[in-house]
Amino acid sequence: MPKKKGMMMASFSLVVAASLLVGGANVGAAASNLESTSVIESTSVSLAATDIPAKFKPSVEWVWNNRIVKEGSTNRKNLIFDQIYVGKGTLNYVVRWQSPKNLTLQQRKDMASMLSRQVNNWNKQLKGYDGWPYDNITVKIVGWAVANPSQILNKQSNEIVYTDTITDDLSKTNPSIPAKLPVAPDALSRFEHFNDPNYAYPGGLDKRFDMYLWGTANFGGGAGGDWGQRMSDDYILSTLNSDEVHITEHEMGHGFGLPDFYEENERPPGGFPTPTIMWAGNSSKITEWDTWMLRYTWSQVKKDTSRFPIR
């Protein structure tokens, strides 16, 4: 497995494994052997950090102290926790479509639904836990960034399409990656302005976008951080109707501040009591360990009441 890499001053993971992707398109046959553990159903519970089960406590605390704190992955006040909190229970995406493939209206609708499912698969682990105030997150796609606007088939009057591009540096070393990288306006990007509490988004908060869903032709594996999730265009299109999308959920985990576990010294002594989606190839879905790691991380970051005022 390759190691973590830095990207745009945000946490970044690269998941490139033959067992996960075949030609960057979809989960390969070997993925059917991935272990998984059912997530905790947290509906109608009121828990706190002191309620963490004994079997999870040592590994969760070790990862918090020896990975998250040391690496500073929750220091930036632009985690998905922050994005949801400032957005009052909403997350806005722009789809960055670095691909020659057209997108039908149905695919665009399905993409919005897919993102909503993946975000809420994480959010339901927080529901009812330690003051987390949101039972469900409203997820919207507020724009489409493409190199050619004709790729948006049957464009609707309420759909916004951006056509500005920059050069993708990755294409300079990998010619199979499209050189043109579509971009949405920086003025609407939370990533560019989260440090300024007085910043006013043109058109208001609803017009902002928090993250990109970034589909790149011929991109292997996935990358993620507080800027969004990147994977191949084929992978996105092949998972539009899946309940849980392995790579997308893994990369969202980084947006919450959770780390990768590629090397042995990056894992807690004695390992994990259950599989985890954050160790590439270990689980294809969010597990009980991921639930408690997410919850513990929330309990720690919410101590900064200036960052997360009580609601």
Side-chain angles (χ1 to χ4, degrees):
M1 295 284 181
K3 293 184 179 181
K4 305 182 300 296
K5 297 182 179 181
M7 182 177 185
M8 297 191 293
M9 298 178 63
S11 59
F12 177 97
S13 85
L14 191 61
V15 182
V16 185
S19 62
L20 300 184
L21 289 176
V22 177
N26 49 45
V27 177
S32 64
N33 296 321
L34 291 171
E35 294 183 71
S36 64
T37 301
S38 298
V39 296
I40 293 174
E41 292 295 335
S42 53
T43 307
S44 302
V45 297
S46 181
L47 299 170
T50 53
D51 295 301
I52 183 170
K55 74 173 182 177
F56 297 110
K57 187 177 176 68
S59 57
V60 164
E61 290 184 342
W62 187 93
V63 170
W64 172 260
N65 291 316
N66 293 278
R67 294 294 312 283
I68 294 176
V69 171
K70 287 185 178 180
E71 295 167 16
S73 61
T74 58
N75 292 351
R76 285 166 54 82
K77 297 181 180 180
N78 193 41
L79 299 175
I80 296 178
F81 294 118
D82 299 279
Q83 295 171 15
I84 290 172
Y85 218 80
V86 173
K88 300 177 182 178
T90 67
L91 270 180
N92 288 352
Y93 272 86
V94 164
V95 173
R96 182 182 233 178
W97 198 241
Q98 191 183 8
S99 165
K101 291 181 171 64
N102 295 333
L103 289 172
T104 68
L105 178 58
Q106 188 60 54
Q107 285 173 325
R108 299 195 300 278
K109 290 178 178 179
D110 289 345
M111 208 173 292
S113 297
M114 180 274 292
L115 282 172
S116 180
R117 287 194 300 274
Q118 308 323 301
V119 169
N120 280 290
N121 283 342
W122 279 107
N123 184 73
K124 69 184 179 183
Q125 314 314 318
L126 293 167
K127 183 178 177 181
Y129 177 77
D130 201 8
W132 180 251
Y134 303 109
D135 290 348
N136 187 74
I137 309 305
T138 300
V139 182
K140 295 187 296 183
I141 294 176
V142 296
W144 303 86
V146 293
N148 183 345
S150 67
Q151 292 177 261
I152 304 299
L153 304 180
N154 191 20
K155 178 184 175 297
Q156 302 298 290
S157 60
N158 63 342
E159 290 184 301
I160 298 173
V161 177
Y162 303 111
T163 57
D164 287 344
T165 62
I166 59 175
T167 299
D168 188 344
D169 287 340
L170 185 59
S171 69
K172 298 174 183 178
T173 56
N174 182 353
S176 70
I177 299 294
K180 287 186 176 181
L181 177 58
V183 293
D186 283 352
L188 295 175
S189 170
R190 173 177 164 83
F191 182 88
E192 299 293 341
H193 301 287
F194 72 90
N195 271 325
D196 181 0
N198 299 313
Y199 182 75
Y201 294 95
L205 183 66
D206 288 347
K207 302 300 182 183
R208 84 201 183 281
F209 72 98
D210 299 293
M211 293 184 287
Y212 281 117
L213 175 65
W214 182 353
T216 300
N218 303 312
F219 188 80
D226 60 350
W227 47 268
Q229 301 85 46
R230 185 184 192 183
M231 60 214 69
S232 80
D233 53 349
D234 287 334
Y235 184 81
I236 291 173
L237 293 176
S238 70
T239 58
L240 290 180
N241 296 302
S242 300
D243 289 333
E244 291 202 59
V245 183
H246 176 200
I247 294 177
T248 306
E249 285 186 343
H250 172 100
E251 303 308 341
M252 284 180 179
H254 293 307
F256 285 105
L258 307 187
D260 283 310
F261 300 106
Y262 292 118
E263 305 296 338
E264 186 175 355
N265 64 355
E266 297 174 332
R267 303 170 205 146
F272 299 94
T274 71
T276 166
I277 199 171
M278 300 312 298
W279 179 2
N282 191 234
S283 174
S284 62
K285 59 183 66 178
I286 298 167
T287 72
E288 207 173 353
W289 188 88
D290 299 314
T291 293
W292 283 106
M293 190 72 248
L294 180 73
R295 289 174 169 181
Y296 190 85
T297 300
W298 163 244
S299 290
Q300 300 306 310
V301 298
K302 77 181 285 276
K303 292 177 182 178
D304 183 351
T305 55
S306 65
R307 181 173 178 176
F308 298 102
I310 296 173
R311 289 182 174 170

